[in-house]
Amino acid sequence: MRVVALEEHFAVPDLVHRIDPNAISRRGFRSRKPPAGGPNAFELLPEIGERRLQSMDEAGITVQVLSNSGPGPDLVPGPDGVGIARAMNDHLATAIARHPERFTGFAVLPMQSADAAIAEFVRAVRDLRFVGALINGTTEGRFLDHPSYDGLLAAAVELDVPIYVHPHLAPEPVRNAYFADLPPGASRVLESAGWGWHSETAIQILRLVLSGALDRHPRLKLIIGHMGEMLPMMLARADEMFALEIEHLQRPVGRTILDQVWLTTSGMFSEPPFITALLTFGIDRVMFSVDYPYSSNAKGRAFLDRLPLAPADMKKFSHGNADALLKLNEWK
């Protein structure tokens, strides 16, 4: 069975070293404990070759859609940020060219320079043949509904590729208000993978709806991970609560999200949230992902194998929806 995984990550340490350590610290990056057993994700991130391919083969994963992880050009203003984004995308394109049947990519963008971000998005799709862009959370506290990013959203529509809206660490005022004054490990996880990442990404999508950005760009395609970042269980509630307050919108909140958002399962391998996502969004909008190397390919495949989906639905979930959305060649 062909299997496409959409939220799979890499890093380029030499390029990360070009970013001001103070900017990295201010953004909230902190050291993380490596797992007691098994491989360290931070050691696996830079490798886009035989070790990664072996792990994919052992789990029966046909294609990874790769995206930059960790500190990136969104932390760097001006020409330096543009140069880092360009270099990261060129690095990924070179890796893809070595194994074009196994890898493709989402662009990383210099989000502090809105016009340059558009130009790099266009280059990455048209010249490097990437299948979209992945944007990590807020930039300098600005969500994607900020007017400075309207041209970027329009570019995604013109290029006819999706934007993957990925979590990021909270801006410093939010971090201090919501996640401080706990034991360090607990604080870090609450802010990130344990809760905060997911709620912030849901807010990002809701802001795109409520600001009218998705009405202005009704053909914009968005992807979010982690079984929908809490939105599937909250969509009916949001519709009910916003119903009397959104006369400026063309569609109900839920309808807009169901029209323009796709979900992946990245990093979440239990049935209850999958069932909720499936019942809310439908089989045509849910796609498999692992979140490698932060989650293991083997664990993701085990989850895939135990899902009681009909063959036609399994085909959509494992690769068909991704093939259609990203216009991937359907290798047999």
Side-chain angles (χ1 to χ4, degrees):
M1 180 174 66
R2 173 174 162 82
V3 178
V4 176
L6 274 78
E7 191 190 311
E8 319 309 315
H9 301 297
F10 77 100
V12 191
D14 288 347
L15 295 174
V16 174
H17 291 156
R18 289 170 52 180
I19 302 173
D20 180 359
N22 291 324
I24 293 174
S25 177
R26 285 194 302 272
R27 192 64 179 90
F29 286 97
R30 288 171 279 180
S31 61
R32 295 170 60 176
K33 283 185 178 180
N40 185 342
F42 298 99
E43 294 176 357
L44 294 174
L45 272 172
E47 195 271 341
I48 312 175
E50 295 309 314
R51 187 175 183 183
R52 185 181 292 251
L53 288 166
Q54 180 181 350
S55 176
M56 291 167 63
D57 289 342
E58 289 171 352
I61 293 172
T62 317
V63 176
Q64 281 189 345
V65 186
L66 298 171
S67 53
N68 179 70
S69 179
D74 58 301
L75 303 183
V76 184
D80 289 344
V82 177
I84 292 171
R86 188 179 184 94
M88 284 183 171
N89 289 328
D90 286 344
H91 177 92
L92 178 56
T94 299
I96 291 169
R98 290 193 291 265
H99 302 282
E101 75 287 358
R102 307 301 301 276
F103 300 128
T104 188
F106 289 125
V108 64
L109 303 177
M111 294 297 290
Q112 291 199 40
S113 304
D115 290 342
I118 296 171
E120 181 58 16
F121 194 4
V122 171
R123 184 185 81 93
V125 173
R126 292 184 175 166
D127 297 348
L128 304 183
R129 311 306 299 170
F130 287 3
V131 295
L134 183 141
I135 294 172
N136 289 296
T138 60
T139 303
E140 298 289 288
R142 299 188 302 275
F143 287 90
L144 282 172
D145 63 281
H146 191 273
S148 64
Y149 295 130
D150 202 63
L152 184 66
L153 304 183
V157 174
E158 177 67 22
L159 293 166
D160 194 24
V161 296
I163 292 175
Y164 201 123
V165 182
H166 188 270
H168 205 328
L169 296 163
E172 188 171 9
V174 177
R175 183 181 314 127
N176 291 336
Y178 281 28
F179 306 117
D181 303 321
L182 294 170
S187 176
R188 181 187 62 76
V189 174
L190 181 63
E191 178 188 356
S192 57
W195 190 264
W197 276 353
H198 313 298
S199 61
E200 185 193 82
T201 305
I203 290 170
Q204 177 95 268
I205 297 300
L206 288 168
R207 287 187 63 97
L208 284 164
V209 177
L210 296 169
S211 67
L214 295 190
D215 278 344
R216 291 194 302 276
H217 304 287
R219 294 188 295 118
L220 177 64
K221 303 169 186 175
L222 302 171
I223 308 171
I224 55 176
H226 310 108
M227 297 288 191
E229 312 287 17
M230 307 185 187
L231 284 172
M233 69 164 291
M234 292 298 296
L235 215 54
R237 169 78 170 176
D239 266 343
E240 182 180 357
M241 294 298 104
F242 283 116
L244 298 177
E245 304 290 344
I246 54 170
E247 296 177 359
H248 62 294
L249 298 180
Q250 298 172 17
R251 295 166 288 173
V253 170
R255 180 70 267 158
T256 305
I257 292 173
L258 294 174
D259 285 345
Q260 296 185 242
V261 178
W262 282 253
L263 314 183
T264 80
T265 60
S266 57
M268 295 180 64
F269 307 127
S270 60
E271 286 80 351
F274 177 78
I275 292 168
T276 304
L278 189 63
L279 290 175
T280 307
F281 279 73
I283 190 59
D284 292 329
R285 291 301 175 102
V286 183
M287 301 178 290
F288 176 73
S289 287
V290 173
D291 205 359
Y292 178 91
Y294 303 109
S295 296
S296 78
N297 288 326
K299 192 172 181 179
R301 182 58 194 239
F303 170 70
L304 181 65
D305 286 343
R306 69 175 183 263
L307 289 177
L309 293 175
D313 288 347
M314 179 60 77
K315 181 178 179 180
K316 290 180 177 181
F317 174 62
S318 65
H319 69 93
N321 294 336
D323 288 339
L325 178 63
L326 304 180
K327 304 183 186 68
L328 301 179
N329 295 322
E330 187 162 351
W331 303 289
K332 301 299 182 182

